[in-house]
């Protein structure tokens, strides 16, 4: 088994140091040019890969320009426009409803608070955190996607199960200045090395401090989406 450091705080500092060196420029992989496009892209990315979302939004963002276009769109047509995305019917409804509220309640602008964002259809805390961080440069928490959830647990940084509880737990040990990058570092590492199935522990820069290293014992694996 890998050697865990004396405390979770020491563990997370070492994890961050090593991953910053491994991935010097971590960043969001969704394509967008404004806050509304970011919001829509993140809503679409639930249970779907960023690569697939970027393919769909390349055409979607050409067709629809601004919240009014989505708010007034025929929902069936909008669903057809995103039909290669998982749960596309539900997500079309979320986007239309969210844009109606953006117009009616927020003067056509994507809200800049956690409470207002999570009041929008299809927007949970994870989505709101992404929009705040990358649309408004406001960092209120840690985005917990399946990579963050999986790797944080494997590294022994949390034993919590739900994204909300994991976020609360991590916010107590991850330095606030690293909250945003923590997510991107773990996503990069999750895609390249610490995959859901068959993680490449032999080439992992965290192997010697990871209590779940499969070089010594089996680990609990779970599949999942990205954002």
């Amino acid at each position: 088994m890998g050697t865990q450091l004396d405390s979770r705080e020491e563990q997370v500092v070492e994890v961050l140091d090593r991953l910053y060196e491994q991935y010097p420029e971590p960043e969001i992989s969704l394509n967008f040019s404004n806050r509304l496009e970011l919001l829509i892209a993140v809503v679409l990315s639930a249970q779907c890969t960023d690569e697939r979302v970027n393919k769909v939004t390349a055409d979607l963002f050409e067709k629809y320009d601004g919240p009014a276009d989505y708010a007034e769109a025929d929902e069936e047509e909008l669903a057809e426009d995103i039909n290669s995305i998982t749960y596309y019917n539900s997500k079309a409804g979320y986007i239309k409803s969210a844009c109606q509220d953006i117009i009616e309640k927020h003067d056509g602008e994507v809200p800049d608070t956690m409470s207002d964002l999570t009041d929008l259809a299809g927007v949970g805390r994870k989505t709101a955190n992404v929009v705040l961080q990358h649309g408004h440069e406001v960092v209120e928490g840690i985005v917990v996607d399946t990579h963050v959830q999986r790797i944080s647990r494997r590294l022994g940084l949390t034993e919590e199960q739900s994204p909300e509880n994991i976020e609360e737990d991590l916010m107590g040990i991850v330095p606030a200045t690293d909250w945003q990058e923590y997510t991107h570092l773990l996503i990069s590492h999750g895609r390249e090395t610490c995959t859901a199935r068959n993680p490449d522990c032999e080439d992992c820069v965290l192997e010697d401090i990871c209590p779940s290293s499969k070089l010594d014992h089996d680990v609990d694996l779970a599949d999942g989406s990205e954002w």
Side-chain angles (χ1 to χ4, degrees), residues 1 24 26 38 42 50 73 90 99 135 146 161 169 181 198 219 226:
M1 178 182 292
L38 172 61
V42 182
D50 291 355
S90 295
C99 286
T146 56
Q161 298 282 350
D169 205 12
E181 300 306 336
N198 301 316
V219 295
E226 295 181 3

Side-chain angles (χ1 to χ4, degrees), residues 49-61:
T49 66
D50 291 355
E51 181 181 11
R52 168 59 60 186
V53 171
N54 287 337
K55 289 180 179 179
V56 169
T57 56
D59 292 328
L60 190 72
F61 295 160

Side-chain angles (χ1 to χ4, degrees), residues 130-198:
V130 177
V131 173
L132 287 174
Q133 290 180 14
H134 296 279
H136 295 285
E137 297 185 355
V138 174
V139 181
E140 289 193 10
I142 296 173
V143 177
V144 179
D145 77 328
T146 56
H147 294 293
V148 173
Q149 182 173 357
R150 177 178 74 249
I151 298 173
S152 296
R153 287 176 52 80
R154 285 179 178 174
L155 288 170
L157 297 175
T158 183
E159 294 181 355
E160 297 294 342
Q161 298 282 350
S162 72
E164 293 81 7
N165 289 340
I166 289 172
E167 181 187 11
E168 183 177 357
D169 205 12
L170 291 175
M171 287 169 64
I173 60 171
V174 177
T177 53
D178 296 303
W179 283 357
Q180 180 170 327
E181 300 306 336
Y182 180 85
T183 297
H184 298 306
L185 290 168
L186 264 64
I187 289 174
S188 296
H189 195 57
R191 288 172 176 163
E192 294 193 13
T193 303
C194 194
T195 53
R197 301 186 183 279
N198 301 316

Side-chain angles (χ1 to χ4, degrees), residues 83-98:
N83 67 4
S84 62
I85 298 285
T86 51
Y87 307 115
Y88 61 93
N89 282 317
S90 295
K91 290 177 181 179
Y94 295 153
I95 291 169
K96 182 178 174 70
S97 175

Side-chain angles (χ1 to χ4, degrees), residues 6-151:
D6 290 340
S7 70
R8 292 189 304 150
E9 288 82 3
E10 291 181 4
Q11 177 89 341
V12 79
V13 167
E14 185 66 22
V15 166
L16 285 166
D17 284 347
R18 296 188 189 191
L19 292 184
Y20 273 125
E21 184 174 352
Q22 184 79 2
Y23 312 102
E25 296 182 354
E27 59 184 16
I28 187 171
S29 56
L30 291 170
N31 296 333
F32 63 94
S33 62
N34 57 56
R35 291 165 180 165
L36 180 63
E37 290 183 357
L38 172 61
L39 173 65
I40 291 169
V42 182
V43 169
L44 292 177
S45 72
Q47 304 299 316
C48 189
T49 66
D50 291 355
E51 181 181 11
R52 168 59 60 186
V53 171
N54 287 337
K55 289 180 179 179
V56 169
T57 56
D59 292 328
L60 190 72
F61 295 160
E62 286 289 327
K63 181 174 180 178
Y64 299 92
D65 181 22
D69 279 3
Y70 293 99
E72 297 168 4
D74 178 84
E75 192 170 324
E76 290 186 3
E77 181 179 350
L78 180 56
E80 185 63 26
D81 291 331
I82 60 172
N83 67 4
S84 62
I85 298 285
T86 51
Y87 307 115
Y88 61 93
N89 282 317
S90 295
K91 290 177 181 179
Y94 295 153
I95 291 169
K96 182 178 174 70
S97 175
C99 286
Q100 288 171 339
D101 281 350
I102 286 171
I103 292 171
E104 295 171 6
K105 299 178 181 179
H106 303 288
D107 297 321
E109 299 295 332
V110 175
D112 60 0
T113 68
M114 178 66 70
S115 60
D116 283 344
L117 281 166
T118 53
D119 281 344
L120 299 176
V123 178
R125 184 173 175 89
K126 181 184 73 172
T127 296
N129 265 324
V130 177
V131 173
L132 287 174
Q133 290 180 14
H134 296 279
H136 295 285
E137 297 185 355
V138 174
V139 181
E140 289 193 10
I142 296 173
V143 177
V144 179
D145 77 328
T146 56
H147 294 293
V148 173
Q149 182 173 357
R150 177 178 74 249
I151 298 173

